Amino acid sequence: MPGDRPTIPADPGRPGAAGRPEHGRPNPDGRPAAGGRSDSAGYPELAGRAVLVVGVGVSGAAAARTLLARGAQVRVVDAGDDERRRAAADRLRELGATVDLGGLPTAPDGAALVVTSPGVPPTSPLITASAAAGVPVWGEVELAWRLRGAADWLAITGTNGKTTTTEMLGAILTAGGLRATTAGNIGTPIVEAVEADPPYEALAVELSSFQLHYTERLVPLAATVLNVAPDHLDWHGGADAYAAAKGRIWSAAETIAIGNADDPASQRLLANAPGRRVLFGRNLPGQGITVDNGRLVDHEFGGGRIVAVSDLRVAGDHMISNALAATALARARGVAPEAIAAALTGFRAGAHRNVEVAVVDGVRWVDDSKATNPHAAAASLAGYPSVVWIAGGLNKGLRFDDLVREARGVLRGVVLIGTCADEIAAALVRHAPDVPLERAAGMDDAVKAAASLARQGDTVLLAPAAASMDMFRDYAARGDQFAEAVHAREG
């Protein structure tokens, strides 16, 4: 019934273009010009309303806690039922939520609003039934945006490099003297970050395609699409839908759209961005955010020369691109070039992202377990001249032909693991038939086989080009087992 659903107001906190000067600096007090903090008084429809939250994981639990604090009647559901979920359910029940595990309903069951975790696909019976009934379906990100406080959102999406760029940006914002944090797909759940007391001034927000799919009114101050390559096609239903989800980050004319000149797909999306458009790229003479004469330079926001590339502690063209994107976002917020330089020269990539594990008998062992798709693996392989490649895992509906074709010139040998080993092997037969190939049942065997193929000066690179869940808890566990096996040989 219509009376059972919330009437969504006109979003009084949505920033307008008039509230920002040309380069995207906020008003002097750091708050959006046309709004500010919204709370339950500004959203009375939440108090007493029935809200269905899907998922008891990090984002779902955070959304449930926020809704409970605002007086909503919260029911939480989750398809799983294990020890971790039962513990999370008990904590939410103590706060007043009703929690059901072990399956999802097929209809909203009288809920006025559905807040879904990002892993639930739009084809789920619950989501389609909610849409058919006219019940709003939000993600945690959309909920956070509507309840947001004073912080400016600087948003990052892309197939690869999101986490590294978000961490870079968080370090830059802090170095610039702002109270800031990373949030969204990493760090603090975004719905908790907007509730922080004292409030944050700026948020570095990583957004996945899943999260963006469930947004409606999101208006970051500035946002970037780092790159787009086929990924998560099973969830989105195709490459076009996946790319369109990424492009939602630039939906608002008030958002400064920062696109990658080195990535054709990012440029195609940028052409449709309604707001101010800014380019970053490794070779943009005299324009955008780029590299000139070995230095990161800001030609767009008046920052000039920022830092020498040789002073950065990150390797590879893809890492330079991440630094350029983070710089562009920070300059859009008005962070001083000196603060950007200080943060970037001190920055190191996170675990399982092209991390050197050891050097044994002249062979480097590198963990890039975070390379969970062919696009990421290609960028990783391009950074080394001679590689014994450990690859394979759980494929996400992607092809490996382009990856193998591009990488064959650097491959000393290949060791395959996981359920998609046959698919990668077939691509190797088609495009690199002379490269030695070994199969391994597990990570210990893979490391042993790689050691037999490697020669002094080679790099043994774990860049799986696939997800990990067929053999490991997650990509971090996969990388940890790789490091343990390498250290065992070293010892």
Side-chain angles (χ1 to χ4, degrees), residues 160-186:
N160 299 303
K162 296 185 297 295
T163 298
T164 297
T165 305
T166 304
E167 290 172 344
M168 281 183 178
L169 179 59
I172 290 169
L173 296 173
T174 301
L178 296 169
R179 176 169 161 75
T181 192
T182 58
N185 206 37
I186 66 166

Side-chain angles (χ1 to χ4, degrees), residues 423-491:
E423 296 170 72
I424 302 177
L428 287 161
V429 169
R430 286 190 290 270
H431 305 294
D434 296 331
V435 174
L437 172 63
E438 300 281 350
R439 303 289 189 112
M443 190 58 74
D444 288 344
D445 290 340
V447 166
K448 181 179 179 180
S452 70
L453 293 170
R455 301 292 181 266
Q456 187 170 5
D458 289 346
T459 297
V460 176
L461 176 65
L462 173 67
S468 58
M469 286 78 74
D470 57 339
M471 297 175 65
F472 306 95
R473 182 185 69 251
D474 52 27
Y475 76 85
R478 178 169 60 189
D480 288 342
Q481 288 198 26
F482 172 75
E484 290 170 6
V486 172
H487 290 312
R489 292 190 62 83
E490 185 182 27

Side-chain angles (χ1 to χ4, degrees), residues 20-28 30 152-154 169 172-178 180 201-203 221-223 256 258 276 278 289 298 300-304 306 325-341:
R20 307 233 182 238
E22 180 183 0
H23 295 323
R25 291 175 182 267
N27 286 335
D152 286 309
W153 288 31
L154 302 168
L169 179 59
I172 290 169
L173 296 173
T174 301
L178 296 169
E201 297 171 283
L203 297 173
L221 165 61
I256 301 172
I258 298 171
R276 179 182 176 184
V278 174
I289 314 297
D298 167 22
E300 184 71 28
F301 302 104
I306 294 183
T327 296
L329 290 164
R331 290 297 298 142
R333 179 54 176 79
V335 177
E338 296 80 10
I340 297 172

Side-chain angles (χ1 to χ4, degrees), residues 105-378:
T106 57
D109 295 337
L113 170 67
V114 174
V115 178
T116 181
S117 296
V120 180
T123 54
S124 165
L126 171 60
I127 302 303
T128 57
S130 298
V135 176
V137 178
W138 298 351
E140 181 228 357
V141 173
E142 182 70 17
L143 175 64
W145 177 257
R146 294 181 187 241
L147 303 179
R148 67 193 177 280
D152 286 309
W153 288 31
L154 302 168
I156 297 103
T157 195
T159 303
N160 299 303
K162 296 185 297 295
T163 298
T164 297
T165 305
T166 304
E167 290 172 344
M168 281 183 178
L169 179 59
I172 290 169
L173 296 173
T174 301
L178 296 169
R179 176 169 161 75
T181 192
T182 58
N185 206 37
I186 66 166
T188 306
I190 187 66
V191 77
E192 292 183 356
V194 300
E195 300 276 85
D197 187 18
Y200 290 110
E201 297 171 283
L203 297 173
V205 184
E206 178 185 326
L207 296 176
S208 70
S209 59
F210 302 163
Q211 291 171 313
L212 284 164
H213 177 87
Y214 289 117
T215 60
E216 296 177 6
R217 300 186 181 183
L218 179 67
V219 189
L221 165 61
T224 187
V225 178
L226 298 171
N227 45 64
V228 182
D231 201 3
H232 303 300
L233 304 188
D234 50 350
W235 195 96
H236 289 281
D240 290 344
Y242 171 69
K246 296 293 189 185
R248 291 174 71 90
I249 205 168
W250 290 333
S251 294
E254 298 89 348
T255 296
I256 301 172
I258 298 171
N260 185 355
D262 299 323
D263 185 78
S266 176
Q267 290 190 69
R268 286 193 293 271
L269 291 174
L270 187 67
N272 295 316
R276 179 182 176 184
R277 301 171 192 171
V278 174
L279 282 173
F280 71 90
R282 298 187 301 275
N283 186 24
L284 293 172
Q287 62 174 313
I289 314 297
T290 190
V291 177
D292 283 347
N293 295 318
R295 298 187 69 88
L296 268 63
V297 179
D298 167 22
H299 295 296
E300 184 71 28
F301 302 104
R305 298 169 62 174
I306 294 183
V307 65
V309 172
S310 60
D311 289 339
L312 305 183
R313 298 185 181 183
V314 294
D317 287 345
H318 62 298
M319 296 297 285
I320 301 303
S321 292
N322 294 340
L324 290 168
T327 296
L329 290 164
R331 290 297 298 142
R333 179 54 176 79
V335 177
E338 296 80 10
I340 297 172
L344 289 180
T345 54
F347 180 83
R348 291 184 181 275
H352 312 296
R353 295 171 176 85
N354 266 299
V355 175
E356 183 178 291
V357 173
V359 177
V360 183
D361 296 330
V363 175
R364 296 178 66 195
W365 295 78
V366 175
D367 170 13
D368 196 11
S369 183
K370 188 63 169 64
T372 59
N373 58 58
H375 187 264

